[in-house]
Amino acid sequence: MKNKTYVYQKLKMSILNISLLSLVFALSCSSGDSDSTDVPTNLNVDISIIGSNDNNPNGDGSGTVQVSASANNAVRYAFRFKNGDQIGSEMGSIEHTFTQNGTNTYNITVWAYSRSGEFINQSYSVDVYKSDEAFATLVFSDEFDNEGRPDDQKWHHQVIPPNNGSWHNDELQHYTDRPENSFVSDGSLKIKAIKEQYSYNGSTKEYTSARLNTKFAFTYGRVEVRAKLPSNAGTWPAIWTLGANVNETGNYFGYQYGSVGWPLCGEIDIMEQTGWDKSNTISHFHWGDLNTEEYMDTGGETTVANTSSEYHIYAMEWDSESIKTYVDDTLVFELPNTNNKPYNHEHYLILNIAIGGNLGGDVPSDFTEDTFEIDYVRIYQ
């Protein structure tokens, strides 16, 4: 009986051991199944080249790409650009700038990791353009290749007098959106000042002209305007910008960018020419100090031959450090750009001819009309 009991106990222990082994095996299989389902799947990667469009498929010259990734079961991601080190990112997004000039092909590898360290990865090849030029990408232009009215998608006629029925600076004209005062023909925009009586909202003036504002606001860039200037005394042509937060009566942007008024909005006179000196052009800056709100201004001038009979390029280069104005390749004036000046936000471009006023001066009695002719307007960033 004792031996039978012993055999029975041994058998019972063997069955118990087999059961435990079976349980361990089952748990092991279950753990293995869990690991297999923890591997990330469906890795989706989006690579965006900054400034890429139909005209610049490889980017705007900044050399910068933005990469974002997502995957099922992924808790972190990593990226490698060209042959560099792996860079981790829990959010699955990263920005990278390539530094080699020109258009080059780069490999980008993306990893998605699970909580347990399992991963999947994919590699991509992209062509990216990097320029050593400060302003390489054309962001706004009008070559004036159409005929008739200026392009309504690009230009806004400012016609409402902001100064109690008149314009500032004692100007003598009304601005209109009539084809008599602004039109495109033979590859150039003509802004024409005319001696004629014209009334607007009960205010009558003896001259008309046009003032065109771009419907494009920008911060920093190079502006080029190739133009011939009017030749008659009393005419005051200008190529200039205002801060888009000026909210001046009749401007295109309204209070979209704010409403600080002038001079806190900032003004950049790329080119002005007085009515009494047609051999020189002026570049001037007006602003309100952002700390004290005190009015400030400064500028310079340069001699320019044949301003009415020959085209010249009037340009500005504007960045966070300075604003430089040019006629052709001649530097006219450079203004340091500091945090107390309103030149670190959106501005828009203005083209106009004023008659008389502060810089127009006396208008001859025999004046009939004169034209400001613009071959093209280009803005680069």
Side-chain angles (χ1 to χ4, degrees):
M1 186 67 183
K2 182 178 179 180
N3 290 338
K4 288 182 180 181
T5 302
Y6 175 78
V7 170
Y8 172 75
Q9 289 177 342
K10 293 287 287 184
L11 178 60
K12 187 177 179 180
M13 291 181 62
S14 297
I15 293 171
L16 180 61
N17 289 338
I18 291 171
S19 299
L20 289 173
L21 288 172
S22 299
L23 179 61
V24 171
F25 179 74
L27 290 173
S28 298
C29 290
S30 175
S31 177
D33 291 343
S34 175
D35 287 345
S36 65
T37 60
D38 197 37
V39 177
T41 59
N42 298 325
L43 176 58
N44 294 307
V45 176
D46 180 71
I47 300 175
S48 176
I49 305 172
I50 298 301
S52 177
N53 54 39
D54 291 341
N55 295 325
N56 305 286
N58 305 124
D60 59 9
S62 65
T64 300
V65 297
Q66 292 176 332
V67 185
S68 60
S70 63
N72 297 335
N73 301 322
V75 296
R76 61 185 179 90
Y77 301 85
F79 305 86
R80 175 178 292 154
F81 299 92
K82 200 177 176 181
N83 298 318
D85 295 332
Q86 193 183 77
I87 304 170
S89 168
E90 290 188 2
M91 300 301 296
S93 61
I94 195 170
E95 184 173 280
H96 179 80
T97 299
F98 296 102
T99 59
Q100 185 175 349
N101 289 329
T103 301
N104 299 284
T105 301
Y106 299 100
N107 290 324
I108 300 174
T109 303
V110 182
W111 286 264
Y113 288 89
S114 70
R115 194 174 303 278
S116 64
E118 300 284 348
F119 68 85
I120 55 175
N121 62 3
Q122 294 179 15
S123 293
Y124 304 85
S125 178
V126 294
D127 294 329
V128 181
Y129 171 58
K130 177 71 169 71
S131 174
D132 59 356
E133 298 179 19
F135 307 109
T137 303
L138 186 65
V139 294
F140 175 92
S141 70
D142 200 334
E143 304 297 321
F144 303 111
D145 293 330
N146 62 305
E147 294 285 322
R149 185 177 176 84
D151 188 343
D152 286 335
Q153 299 298 310
K154 298 180 179 179
W155 299 100
H156 166 72
H157 285 83
Q158 192 170 350
V159 299
I160 304 174
N163 188 24
N164 298 317
S166 297
W167 294 84
H168 296 294
N169 306 306
D170 297 323
E171 298 170 18
L172 302 178
Q173 79 294 315
H174 272 312
Y175 292 121
T176 85
D177 62 356
R178 305 178 308 159
E180 291 90 342
N181 294 116
S182 60
F183 58 93
V184 178
S185 66
D186 301 321
S188 65
L189 168 67
K190 281 81 172 177
I191 298 177
K192 182 175 286 188
I194 304 171
K195 184 177 182 178
E196 59 176 337
Q197 193 172 85
Y198 183 85
S199 296
Y200 185 92
N201 283 353
S203 172
T204 301
K205 302 294 182 183
E206 302 301 319
Y207 304 90
T208 61
S209 184
R211 172 170 166 158
L212 276 68
N213 305 347
T214 58
K215 294 182 177 181
F216 175 76
F218 63 103
T219 305
Y220 308 144
R222 175 178 168 86
V223 176
E224 292 182 5
V225 179
R226 187 172 186 259
K228 295 178 184 177
L229 308 184
S231 61
N232 287 326
T235 59
W236 174 7
I239 302 167
W240 53 304
T241 77
L242 281 176
N245 58 356
V246 62
N247 195 21
E248 184 180 48
T249 300
N251 86 98
Y252 175 70
F253 294 103
Y255 55 82
Q256 176 181 345
Y257 292 100
S259 183
V260 302
W262 189 94
L264 286 175
C265 66
E267 175 180 328
I268 304 171
D269 298 322
I270 300 170
M271 186 286 304
E272 295 181 288
Q273 189 178 61
T274 69
W276 58 86
D277 183 359
K278 298 301 182 182
S279 298
N280 291 279
T281 62
I282 298 167
S283 180
H284 212 87
F285 298 82
H286 306 265
W287 72 94
D289 187 287
L290 298 182
N291 296 325
T292 66
E293 298 191 1
E294 180 184 3
Y295 168 70
M296 308 291 290
D297 75 303
T298 187
E301 64 180 75
T302 190
T303 299
V304 187
N306 306 316
T307 58
S308 62
S309 60
E310 297 179 2
Y311 281 114
H312 294 275
I313 296 175
Y314 302 95
M316 169 183 71
E317 293 185 351
W318 168 30
D319 60 27
S320 61
E321 300 297 325
S322 69
I323 309 172
K324 302 174 184 177
T325 56
Y326 299 86
V327 177
D328 299 322
D329 293 325
T330 300
L331 178 67
V332 181
F333 195 80
E334 180 176 3
L335 179 75
N337 192 7
T338 52
N339 290 333
N340 66 318
K341 298 185 180 77
Y343 299 121
N344 297 298
H345 63 82
E346 292 85 354
H347 277 232
Y348 61 91
L349 184 69
I350 306 168
L351 308 172
N352 72 287
I353 308 175
I355 298 295
N358 295 353
L359 291 187
D362 295 332
V363 184
S365 58
D366 60 352
F367 176 87
T368 57
E369 63 180 41
D370 210 344
T371 302
F372 183 13
E373 185 172 353
I374 298 97
D375 180 39
Y376 63 73
V377 174
R378 298 170 184 166
I379 302 175
Y380 299 86
Q381 287 185 317

